[in-house]
């Protein structure tokens, strides 16, 4: 069984249908970049996968958990599927260490010491060991985003979802975050990431999905999709973002 | 019989100020608890509950506290429920305070971005954990100043209970002023006592805010 299985999902906001029958399978260890125009439904797709949005039709299975079931245990699901947002969303009242340990203590039931150890490990992995006791507003955007990645990583999810996590950053801070992502990718994490960084998609992703008007318009190996688009829509999208 | 305004009168005023403080504390506790309920009713995703809370808030905020005091003190006995001045004052001040606390705290809760709820959710926290560990601590920081601001108003408003026969600070001032014919000095002392109570409260609030800010 695939780690993620979407079958014909449909999602509307009021009268507007945003996802118009999306089917998709993601295998364990795969790194999938999702690209497409603004409003094509990329964020909505990720948010449906971890249950932040409810679909009107179709089925979503993640790590064996049926997200679309009426009584789905969404908290158990989210423990398995971490998500990092464009706007970091660190908890501003907690320092870096406690941002990471909060869910470890509450959800994973680790004691203080064990949680603290995990926090030090992941924060070191994203290169911020010396910022363990800093508060979010004392960090740059890039550092905050790295902490957000560490916080999600600490939960040891089976799948990580990233929604345009470099889009809010100053250009000179994008690189440090992408390098962290690359590191996570190398360790075999299954990742789905919405991104506008085409070079990153080409070099790090195994697979690229092009969303267009609420549907998956193209889906295939990263280099192939990005170098030889089959449809006019992808062609014009790529020339728009690359130039 | 006219006498001098003396030290004993100041003591009398200070003793009466105990009632002012007691009334305020009563309203803070009763109004605080009820206010939590109102704030909760106001934000739960259930329309009738929201409407009920809005009705309550508009009704209480839109009528004078004095009228509410009279309803409890003079109205309840008419339907056979005997209340003393203390009970009537405690009940109406609590009900009054709850309407304001409810709105202040709802605003504070809603000032915390929906993204904070989502960040908590995406880590697997339950609704209650998101509320208590993520949203409330942030809302608290926002709520301290307006909460204390309202409390200061409330302390001054406790003087209205004089009109149902309660001898608190203002009423005690009236009595002594009547006995000594030294209204200026008497009310000056009364004003100073109010000021000291309210000022120490807002100092405490400032310290609390600073502490919450340091602890983020
Ligand atoms: N909560 C919502 N309520 C109403 N409409 C929404 C909501 N969220 C998204 N939409 C609409 O759904 C459509 C798809 O939005 P979505 O955020 O998934 O697009 P996107 O591909 O992520 O775009 P972008 O690149 O700009 O982030 C848009 O038209 C958007 O306006
Ligand atoms: Mg988006």
């Amino acid at each position: 069984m695939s780690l993620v299985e979407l079958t014909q999902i449909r999602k509307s906001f009021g009268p507007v249908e945003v996802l118009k029958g999306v089917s998709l399978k993601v295998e364990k260890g795969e790194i999938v970049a999702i690209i497409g125009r603004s409003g094509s439904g990329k964020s909505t797709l990720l948010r449906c996968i971890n249950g932040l949005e409810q679909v009107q039709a179709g089925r979503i299975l993640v790590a064996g958990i049926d997200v679309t079931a009426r009584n789905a245990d969404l908290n158990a699901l989210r423990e398995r599927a971490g998500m990092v947002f464009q706007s970091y969303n660190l908890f501003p009242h907690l320092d870096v260490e406690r941002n990471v340990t909060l869910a470890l203590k509450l959800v994973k039931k680790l004691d203080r010491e064990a949680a603290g150890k995990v926090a030090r490990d992941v924060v070191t992995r994203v290169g911020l060991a010396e910022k363990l006791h800093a508060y979010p507003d004392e960090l740059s955007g890039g550092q905050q985003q790295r902490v957000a990645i560490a916080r999600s990583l600490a939960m040891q999810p089976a799948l990580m979802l990233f929604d345009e996590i470099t889009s809010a950053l100053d250009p000179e801070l994008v690189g440090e975050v992408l390098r962290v992502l690359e590191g996570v990718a190398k360790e075999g994490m299954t990742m789905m990431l919405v991104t506008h960084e085409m070079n990153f998609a080409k070099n790090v992703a195994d697979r690229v999905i092009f969303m267009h008007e609420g549907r998956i318009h193209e889906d295939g190996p990263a280099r192939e999709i990005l170098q030889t688009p089959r449809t006019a829509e992808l062609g014009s999208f790529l020339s728009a973002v690359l130039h | 019989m006219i006498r001098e305004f003396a030290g004993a009168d100041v003591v009398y005023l200070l003793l009466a100020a105990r009632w002012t403080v007691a009334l305020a504390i009563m309203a803070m506790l009763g109004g605080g608890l009820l206010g939590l309920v109102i704030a909760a009713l106001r934000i739960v995703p259930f329309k009738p509950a929201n409407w009920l809370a809005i009705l309550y808030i508009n009704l209480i905020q839109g009528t004078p506290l004095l009228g509410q005091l009279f309803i409890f003190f003079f109205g309840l006995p008419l339907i056979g429920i005997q209340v003393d001045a203390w009970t009537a004052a405690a009940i109406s001040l609590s009900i009054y305070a709850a309407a304001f606390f409810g709105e202040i705290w709802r605003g504070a809760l809603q000032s915390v971005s929906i993204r904070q709820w989502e960040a908590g959710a995406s880590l697997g926290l339950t609704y209650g954990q998101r509320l208590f560990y993520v949203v409330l601590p942030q809302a608290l920081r926002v709520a301290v100043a307006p909460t204390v601001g309202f409390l200061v108003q409330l302390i001054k408003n406790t003087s209205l209970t004089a009109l149902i026969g309660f001898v608190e600070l203002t009423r005690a001032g009236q009595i002594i002023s009547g006995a000594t014919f030294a209204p200026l000095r008497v009310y000056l002392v009364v004003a100073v006592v109010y000021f000291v109570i309210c000022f120490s409260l807002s100092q405490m609030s400032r310290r609390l805010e600073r502490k919450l800010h340091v602890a983020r």
Side-chain angles (χ1 to χ4, degrees):
Chain A
M1 199 177 62
S2 308
L3 186 63
V4 179
E5 281 191 38
L6 310 187
T7 321
Q8 283 300 315
I9 64 166
R10 290 178 177 275
K11 168 70 193 171
S12 309
F13 291 108
V16 186
E17 194 169 43
V18 174
L19 296 179
K20 303 169 180 169
V22 173
S23 298
L24 170 67
K25 281 185 182 175
V26 176
E27 304 303 326
K28 190 169 175 308
E30 240 184 330
I31 295 165
V32 182
I34 301 167
I35 62 174
R37 282 182 206 288
S38 178
S40 57
K42 307 178 298 290
S43 298
T44 307
L45 182 67
L46 287 195
R47 293 167 59 86
C48 287
I49 291 176
N50 85 339
L52 286 177
E53 305 285 356
Q54 282 189 327
V55 297
Q56 271 76 39
R59 190 145 182 254
I60 302 176
L61 286 174
V62 178
I65 300 172
D66 186 349
V67 183
T68 39
R70 194 173 285 270
N71 57 355
D73 184 352
L74 290 181
N75 298 323
L77 161 79
R78 290 168 183 152
E79 208 186 322
R80 312 290 298 131
M83 179 145 178
V84 182
F85 303 87
Q86 181 175 344
S87 48
Y88 338 131
N89 304 351
L90 293 181
F91 305 133
H93 59 300
L94 301 178
D95 66 9
V96 167
E97 179 176 32
R98 282 183 301 152
N99 258 278
V100 177
T101 54
L102 185 69
L104 291 173
K105 291 184 204 160
L106 294 175
V107 180
K108 292 257 191 243
K109 312 281 182 217
L110 295 190
D111 62 30
R112 249 180 83 153
E113 217 165 294
K117 188 179 175 316
V118 176
R120 278 191 302 280
D121 284 353
V122 290
V123 171
T124 307
R125 267 168 76 185
V126 300
L128 289 171
E130 80 283 9
K131 297 289 185 189
L132 201 58
H133 297 293
Y135 282 88
D137 64 4
E138 298 165 341
L139 301 176
S140 73
Q143 292 172 331
Q144 290 191 51
Q145 195 57 292
R146 281 146 68 193
V147 173
I149 295 171
R151 179 173 73 175
S152 189
L153 215 51
M155 299 298 286
Q156 298 190 301
L159 165 73
M160 287 180 82
L161 308 169
F162 300 91
D163 190 3
E164 290 196 40
I165 64 167
T166 57
S167 298
L169 297 176
D170 292 337
E172 72 269 22
L173 300 178
V174 169
E176 63 185 66
V177 173
L178 292 183
R179 271 193 296 282
V180 166
L181 271 189
E182 236 179 288
V184 177
K186 284 213 181 80
E187 282 158 28
M189 176 66 69
T190 311
M191 298 166 53
M192 295 178 71
L193 35 97
V194 174
T195 184
H196 288 305
E197 303 289 334
M198 292 306 147
N199 277 325
F200 181 82
K202 197 191 298 178
N203 297 326
V204 180
D206 304 312
R207 179 176 163 197
V208 167
I209 285 174
F210 172 58
M211 299 270 306
H212 184 68
E213 295 180 348
R215 291 192 179 85
I216 292 181
H217 208 69
E218 289 202 34
D219 178 354
R223 281 171 189 277
E224 200 178 303
I225 292 275
L226 294 174
Q227 272 158 5
T228 49
R230 277 167 301 196
T231 60
E233 288 81 359
L234 177 55
S236 75
F237 171 75
L238 287 178
S239 60
V241 289
L242 293 176
H243 302 290
Chain B
M1 181 187 91
I2 301 170
R3 55 184 177 77
E4 277 293 300
F5 178 51
D9 294 317
V10 175
V11 173
Y12 179 73
L13 287 176
L14 286 176
L15 290 178
R18 282 185 316 179
W19 288 109
T20 296
V21 172
L23 278 171
I25 290 177
M26 190 60 221
M28 195 170 89
L29 296 178
L33 283 178
L34 191 56
L36 278 180
V37 176
I38 299 297
L41 287 178
R42 191 73 174 67
I43 58 169
V44 290
F46 180 60
K47 281 273 158 20
N50 305 155
W51 293 331
L52 192 72
I54 291 171
L55 179 72
Y56 177 92
I57 290 163
N58 282 308
L59 203 65
I60 302 300
Q61 291 195 351
T63 54
L65 174 58
L66 187 59
Q68 294 161 24
L69 271 171
F70 281 177
I71 286 177
F72 282 99
F73 189 65
F74 298 114
L76 286 182
L78 293 181
I79 55 168
I81 304 171
Q82 291 307 318
V83 286
D84 52 32
W86 166 253
T87 313
I91 292 178
S92 45
L93 285 173
S94 294
I95 287 178
Y96 177 75
F100 288 87
F101 286 150
E103 270 305 79
I104 290 172
W105 296 341
R106 171 194 67 86
L109 281 172
Q110 290 183 340
S111 77
V112 179
S113 159
I114 181 89
R115 297 174 191 284
Q116 289 287 311
W117 288 94
E118 290 185 351
S122 68
L123 289 166
L125 303 186
T126 65
Y127 183 87
Q129 291 170 335
R130 280 172 245 163
L131 181 63
F132 281 101
Y133 296 96
V134 177
V135 176
L136 273 182
Q138 297 183 54
L140 201 63
R141 261 158 67 181
V142 178
V144 172
T147 301
V148 174
F150 174 74
L151 270 179
V152 166
Q153 295 299 317
L154 191 69
I155 285 171
K156 292 183 281 182
N157 272 334
T158 54
S159 63
L160 287 174
T161 60
L163 289 152
I164 59 171
F166 214 87
V167 184
E168 42 61 69
L169 186 51
T170 300
R171 180 80 188 112
Q174 279 175 342
I175 293 171
I176 292 184
S177 153
T180 61
F181 278 102
L184 187 65
R185 269 179 291 164
V186 173
Y187 286 119
L188 213 58
V189 173
V190 168
V192 166
V193 176
Y194 273 117
F195 178 78
V196 167
I197 297 174
C198 295
F199 184 72
S200 23
L201 196 64
S202 51
Q203 281 308 102
M204 255 158 55
S205 139
R206 207 149 305 150
R207 202 162 315 149
L208 182 63
E209 255 188 305
R210 215 164 328 154
K211 213 169 118 191
L212 285 174
H213 193 73
V214 170
R216 310 295 156 131

